[in-house]
Amino acid sequence: MTTDARFPRLFSPLRIGPVELRNRVVSSGHDTVMAQDGVPGDQLVAYQEARARGGVGLVVVQVAGVHASAQYTSHVLMADDDACVPAFARLAETVHAHGAKVFQQLFHDGRELMESPDGTLPVALAPSAVPNERFHVMPRAMPVGLVREMVGCYAASARRMREAGYDGVEVVASHGYLPAQFLNPRTNLRTDEYGGDEAGRLRFLREVLEGVRAAVGPGLAVGVRISVGEESGEGLTAAEALDALGRLDSAGLLDYVSVVAGTSATLAGSDHIVPPMTRAVGYTAPLAAQVKAVVGVPVVVAGRLNSPQDAEQVLARGDADGTVMTRALICDPEMPAKAAAGRLEEIRACIGCNQACIGHFHAGYPISCIQYPETGRERTYGIRVPAREPRDVVVVGGGPGGLKAAAVAAERGHRVTLFEAGRRLGGQVLLAQEVPGRAEFGGAVGNLAGEAQRAGVKIVLGTTVDAAMLADLAPHAVVVATGARPRVPALDLVDSPVVLTAWDLFRGTDVPRPADGRRRVVVADWRCDWVGLGAANLLAGKGWRVTLGVTGYHAGQRLQQYVRDDMLAQAHRLGVDVVPLVRVYGADADSVYLQHVLTDEPVVVDGTAALVLAQGHDAVDGLLREIEGSEAFEVHAVGDCLAPRTVEEAVLEGLRVGSAV
C-alpha cells in the first residue's frame, strides 16, 4: 500500500506478540447482529471482507460466547462448541485474503444480560449477587466449581480460534463484563480464592489468560480489552484497572491491551461504549497513555477517532500504539486505503450520530450507517452494477436522499442533473446541525455532496422544478426528493399567542420577550426525537424557562440510548421541565393547553411567552402527485416526500433508486 507522507505512524507496521499488522488502523470487536445460528454466516463474512479489502490492519471480530450462559443477546456469536470452527475459519480465510490480520474476542457477559432467545429471563451469573442497574438483573453468585469451569471454557474457545486460523484472541474484560466484575471490589464480594483482596479478585482473569495462552501456543497474540475507568459510581476505577494490567503484564500474560472507558451496568457508564458526537475526538487517549506507563506491550485505544488525521495525532503524541476506528470504518470501509493514497477529500467521515450502527444493534437489526447504507448490505449493494446504457436522470431535491440517488446513478454511468430549490444542499440536515451539540451532523451534507460531485452529477441550485420543466427536459427518469415541511396541526388559539416551529428556532428566529417579563416557553413534542428535545435545550441555553411536553413516556424516546442520555443530561442541567404523555391542544396569550394522552384530562401551563411546535412533518409531494403515472419518463421517489421519516430512510431509498434506474 502506498503511504501518504502525512501519516508516517498510522501506516507503519505494528508488531503484537508474534503477529505483525500492516498498519495501525484497527476495527474493534462490535456486535453486528449478523450472526447466523451463532456463527459467522454470509452477511458477516461479506461485512468484514469489505473492511479488510479497504485496507484495515486488524479486524477484531465481535464477541463470541465461551459458555452457554454467555448468550446475552439472541444474535451473539458462540464459540462454545467444536462445531463452530469451520464457520469461523471461513471468516478468517476471507480476511486474510486481503492482507489484514484477524483476532477473535472471547466473552462472557456475567450479569450484563440484555435479552434471551425466547423472552424468558435466564439465570445471570456473576462473582456475587450484586444487581445491575441498567438492565435490572439480579445475578446468581457463581459457585467455585463453576468459576473454574468457566476458566476452562475460555481456554477451549481460544483453542477453537487457533484451529480456525485466527491470528490472535482478545479476552473481553471491559465495560463491566464478567472478568471486570471479578476485578471490581464493589461487584466481587467473595471471600474465597477468587475474591478478598487485589490478588484474589485478579485470579479469575489471570487464570483465564494463562489458560488461553496454553491453548493457543506461541503462534497467536493474546490480549485483553479493559475499561480504564468505568465512569460509574460503583464501577471499576482507572487505578484498579491499571493495577490489574501492571500485574498481568509483569506475569508475561499480555501481548497487547485494548483501552476503552465505561460500563454496560449503568446508563451513564454505557454512554461511553459508543460515545455520541458530543464527546471530544480522542477523549480516551489520555487513558491509553496511562496504560502505556504501566505495561511494556502495545496499547490500542478506542474513543471517537473518526479521521486518519486524528489517529495520527494520537500516535504522534505517544498516547497509544494503535488506533481503533470502528465507526469510521462502518461509515467508510475504504478509509485506510484512501488515506494511505492521499485521497483525504474522498473519505466519508463518521458524524457520531449512532443511529444505524449501535442504534440498529440495540433494536436487534443488522448494523449499517445512515450515510453509507451499503454497510451491512454488502452482498446486495457492495459493488456498483454499471448501467446497461447511459440514461438522462433528473433528481429534484438536494437533501440527503436526492444526493445519494444522484451519486449512485452517476457512478453507474447515467447522466444525472440534480436541481435544488434552495441556495444550499442538505435539506433538514442544515437544521439538525444547529441543535446544541449536534453541529457534527452537518458533515453528512459535505460527504454526500462530495460523492455526487465526484461521480459527475451536474448540480443546479436555486431552481424550482415543475412538471412543465420536466416535460421540456425530457429525461428518461425522474427522482423526486422534495422532502417535507413542519407540520402545524389545527389548534385552539385565542388572543394571538406566539406560536413558532422548531424549524423557526433552528433557522435563527428568536422568541419575542414579553414586556411583563414572562420567561416560560412550552415545546410541544409529538415525535419524541432530537427535534423537540433539541429545541428545548436551545431555548434553555438562551435563558428561557422551558416546559417540554412529549406525547411519549419520556423525552428523546425514539433516539438511540447514548444520544438520548446525553441530550437528557443537558436538559437536566439546563433546568428543562419535562411533562410526559401529553399532546398539545391550544394556547392563548399567556397559557398553553395540553391534554393527557391516556386520560384526556387538561394539563395547563400558565405564564407562557410562546408555544413552539415540534409536531413532525408534512410531505412536500405536490410534484410527485402531479407526475406520478407519467408515460414520458420513469418516476421514482425517495425520503420524506413519500412519508416523513429520518435521514437514514432517505439515504437508503436513494441508494435503492440510484441502483435501479
Side-chain angles (χ1 to χ4, degrees), residues 12 69 107 110 118 123 137 246 297 353 406 427 463 465 470 483 491 499 508 528 587 620-621 632:
S12 64
S69 60
F107 175 78
D118 66 357
V123 175
V137 171
V297 295
C353 71
T463 302
V465 174
L470 291 174
L491 299 173
V499 180
C528 304
V620 176
D621 59 357

Side-chain angles (χ1 to χ4, degrees), residues 34-50:
M34 296 180 197
Q36 182 177 329
D37 298 323
V39 296
D42 292 344
Q43 187 179 18
L44 181 56
V45 170
Y47 171 85
Q48 296 293 13
E49 182 178 19

Side-chain angles (χ1 to χ4, degrees), residues 305-528:
L305 293 173
N306 295 336
S307 75
Q309 296 93 326
D310 295 331
E312 181 69 25
Q313 287 183 7
V314 169
L315 298 173
R317 291 196 305 264
D319 291 344
D321 303 292
T323 52
V324 172
M325 306 184 72
T326 303
R327 277 181 291 174
L329 292 159
I330 292 173
C331 188
D332 194 339
E334 297 178 354
M335 180 272 293
K338 291 176 180 177
R343 294 154 46 206
L344 302 185
E345 71 285 351
E346 297 181 26
I347 294 174
R348 186 184 307 103
C350 168
I351 58 175
C353 71
N354 281 8
Q355 184 171 336
C357 49
I358 188 67
H360 274 209
F361 163 65
H362 281 168
Y365 301 114
I367 67 169
S368 188
C369 177
I370 68 167
Q371 298 187 78
Y372 190 65
E374 291 90 334
T375 282
R377 301 178 177 93
E378 285 82 5
R379 299 178 67 217
T380 304
Y381 296 112
I383 299 175
R384 296 279 185 264
V385 178
R388 292 182 180 178
E389 59 180 274
R391 306 171 76 199
D392 294 312
V393 178
V394 168
V395 178
V396 185
L403 287 168
K404 186 67 174 182
V408 174
E411 287 169 7
R412 295 181 53 235
H414 293 308
R415 298 177 293 269
V416 182
T417 303
L418 182 147
F419 293 94
E420 164 56 40
R423 294 293 178 182
R424 299 173 64 191
L425 297 170
Q428 292 181 53
V429 172
L430 300 178
L431 301 174
Q433 69 182 359
E434 300 302 324
V435 175
R438 290 178 70 84
E440 202 168 335
F441 205 95
V445 176
N447 291 336
L448 290 164
E451 290 179 29
Q453 291 160 355
R454 288 190 295 275
V457 176
K458 180 182 178 181
I459 296 175
V460 182
L461 300 176
T463 302
T464 299
V465 174
D466 57 21
M469 180 177 175
L470 291 174
D472 290 340
L473 291 171
H476 297 98
V478 175
V479 180
V480 182
T482 45
R485 62 174 66 90
R487 177 175 173 267
V488 180
L491 299 173
D492 189 357
L493 302 177
V494 180
D495 296 332
S496 302
V498 174
V499 180
L500 302 171
T501 69
W503 282 33
D504 293 327
L505 299 184
F506 300 149
R507 285 171 171 161
T509 301
D510 291 325
V511 176
R513 297 187 180 274
D516 61 7
R518 280 174 285 139
R519 305 287 295 168
R520 175 73 58 181
V521 177
V522 174
V523 177
D525 181 4
W526 167 75
R527 189 170 168 78
C528 304

Side-chain angles (χ1 to χ4, degrees), residues 135-207:
F135 300 123
H136 307 283
V137 171
M138 175 59 82
R140 178 196 181 205
M142 298 170 66
V144 167
L146 183 55
V147 175
R148 293 172 180 156
E149 176 187 340
M150 197 69 71
V151 169
C153 290
Y154 276 91
S157 295
R159 171 186 55 79
R160 295 178 186 112
M161 294 307 107
R162 174 178 57 79
E163 293 172 358
Y166 276 65
D167 302 295
V169 292
E170 179 177 285
V171 175
V172 178
S174 62
H175 298 128
Y177 298 123
L178 185 62
Q181 292 163 33
F182 272 95
L183 290 175
N184 185 346
R186 289 156 294 281
T187 53
N188 182 351
L189 310 180
R190 303 175 76 98
T191 57
D192 61 15
E193 61 192 291
Y194 291 99
D197 58 16
E198 289 86 352
R201 289 189 293 271
L202 183 63
R203 183 183 299 275
F204 177 75
L205 180 54
R206 178 173 57 77
E207 290 183 353

Side-chain angles (χ1 to χ4, degrees), residues 289-301:
Q290 293 180 48
V291 174
K292 282 183 65 66
V294 300
V295 303
V297 295
V299 174
V300 301
V301 65

